[in-house]
Amino acid sequence: MSESRHAHIPVHWYMYPLIPVLIWAVNMVVTRYAASVIEPVSISVWRLLIAWLLMSPWLLPTVIKDKQQIARHWWQLAILGFLAMVAYQCLSYQAGHSTTATNMSIINAFTPILTIFVSLAVLKEKPGMYGALGNMISILGLFYLIGKGSFTALFHGEVHIGDGLMVLAVLAYALYGVLLKHWQLPFSVGSSVFAQTTLALFMHIPLLMVFGLQSINPHNLLPVLYAALLPSIVAPVMWMKAMHTLGPNRASMFTNLAPILTAVIAYFYLREQWTVYHTVGGIMALSGVMLAQFGKNRVKLA
């Protein structure tokens, strides 16, 4: 649907972006909780394996049809699978051991800004005036957040290691998004996701040899199932539906709700407190993202 179209939008269409954003917000709380009941590598493997088994009957016919193209682009799929399903997942689950779900969600909201940095480094895409200003505001907000209200704490080592791990996770996911758009792989989204999941499972083998695989038990069953079903399958499908019905600009606005939803959920279920530095850092982050995203002449090619 065209972004400039002003026709009446059915109210239920707004559920398409809202549901995945809520799923992702809850997932940050689940990730933080999972740190106490299952190791990062184990939940990452179980999440992928269960999702793979559930997707197989649905996607295998499409994968078989696209097998020649998949074989030609296997190395690109391997890189994408590593970034999104190994690096991002394992780093974010490890981050949950030493930072809060609220911090994780706010740092995750920096993905659009870090994507601009990655685009500059990888594709030589230069941000325009609004993009550069938005970057500066957001990065200052990130420093303020992980420094707990101090811009200089980062340079004195006074930060949670979990915040640093989460920044690395978001950088990996930003690179994933840039490469996914740049390569424009010539087969369906379903085939791409299934192939990436398959390759990512194999890439977990060296990690399993080092850390082992923790079994599923009554204490970790719910976070494993949540991670495998909702963020891995339901949210991507709903988000693609949102892109189709509302368009990327309208749909992407809903992602700004994720840190707020996470903070509310984390307050009630994990007793995490929302502080002044969360407010200031969050406002700076979201303001910078919105300025970079919706300012005129946002990006120009070198």
Side-chain angles (χ1 to χ4, degrees):
M1 191 182 80
S2 172
E3 288 290 297
S4 61
R5 185 176 173 184
H6 295 288
H8 174 69
I9 298 174
V11 174
H12 72 273
W13 280 14
Y14 289 105
M15 297 303 293
Y16 296 138
L18 185 59
I19 289 174
V21 167
L22 180 59
I23 288 172
W24 293 325
V26 173
N27 190 54
M28 287 297 169
V29 178
V30 171
T31 298
R32 179 68 180 87
Y33 168 75
S36 64
V37 294
I38 188 169
E39 292 300 313
V41 172
S42 294
I43 189 173
S44 184
V45 170
W46 284 119
R47 168 183 179 164
L48 290 174
L49 181 59
I50 294 171
W52 187 90
L53 291 171
L54 291 172
M55 289 189 296
S56 293
W58 173 38
L59 292 177
L60 268 179
T62 305
V63 171
I64 293 171
K65 185 181 69 174
D66 294 333
K67 63 182 179 180
Q68 291 183 341
Q69 291 282 15
I70 291 174
R72 291 193 190 99
H73 297 275
W74 70 269
W75 64 274
Q76 292 163 307
L77 291 164
I79 292 173
L80 293 171
F82 171 78
L83 291 170
M85 301 177 185
V86 181
Y88 177 80
Q89 286 187 186
C90 289
L91 286 169
S92 59
Y93 284 124
Q94 186 63 45
H97 283 270
S98 53
T99 192
T100 65
T102 302
N103 275 31
M104 291 170 68
S105 186
I106 294 176
I107 293 171
N108 203 61
F110 282 87
T111 301
I113 289 297
L114 294 179
T115 298
I116 293 177
F117 276 106
V118 173
S119 295
L120 175 62
V122 177
L123 305 181
K124 309 304 179 186
E125 288 186 354
K126 296 181 180 179
M129 180 182 69
Y130 290 96
L133 183 58
N135 268 314
M136 290 176 60
I137 294 172
S138 282
I139 293 303
L140 285 173
L142 179 60
F143 286 174
Y144 192 81
L145 171 70
I146 64 179
K148 296 182 178 180
S150 171
F151 287 110
T152 61
L154 182 67
F155 304 103
H156 298 290
E158 301 172 14
V159 297
H160 287 142
I161 188 172
D163 291 334
L165 292 173
M166 196 63 204
V167 171
L168 291 177
V170 173
L171 274 171
Y173 200 78
L175 180 56
Y176 170 84
V178 169
L179 292 178
L180 187 65
K181 181 179 179 181
H182 177 60
W183 283 334
Q184 294 288 317
L185 299 178
F187 37 80
S188 68
V189 172
S191 291
S192 180
V193 170
F194 190 86
Q196 290 175 47
T197 303
T198 303
L199 291 166
L201 278 169
F202 282 105
M203 283 185 277
H204 274 82
I205 292 175
L207 295 173
L208 290 175
M209 294 174 67
V210 175
F211 298 103
L213 180 64
Q214 187 176 346
S215 62
I216 297 177
N217 57 55
H219 299 291
N220 60 36
L221 177 61
L222 288 180
V224 168
L225 288 179
Y226 183 89
L229 297 175
L230 297 180
S232 299
I233 299 176
V234 176
V237 171
M238 294 292 288
W239 190 251
M240 285 188 285
K241 185 70 173 176
M243 294 292 104
H244 177 71
T245 54
L246 295 176
N249 286 348
R250 283 195 181 96
S252 64
M253 289 292 293
F254 282 80
T255 61
N256 296 331
L257 295 173
I260 299 169
L261 292 172
T262 298
V264 172
I265 298 166
Y267 174 80
F268 286 104
Y269 287 93
L270 300 177
R271 298 304 176 190
E272 290 184 4
Q273 299 299 312
W274 182 275
T275 67
V276 173
Y277 67 80
H278 285 116
T279 300
V280 175
I283 289 174
M284 291 177 72
L286 297 180
S287 298
V289 168
M290 293 181 69
L291 182 63
Q293 284 244 335
F294 301 105
K296 295 179 181 178
N297 304 318
R298 176 167 56 96
V299 175
K300 59 181 180 181
L301 294 178

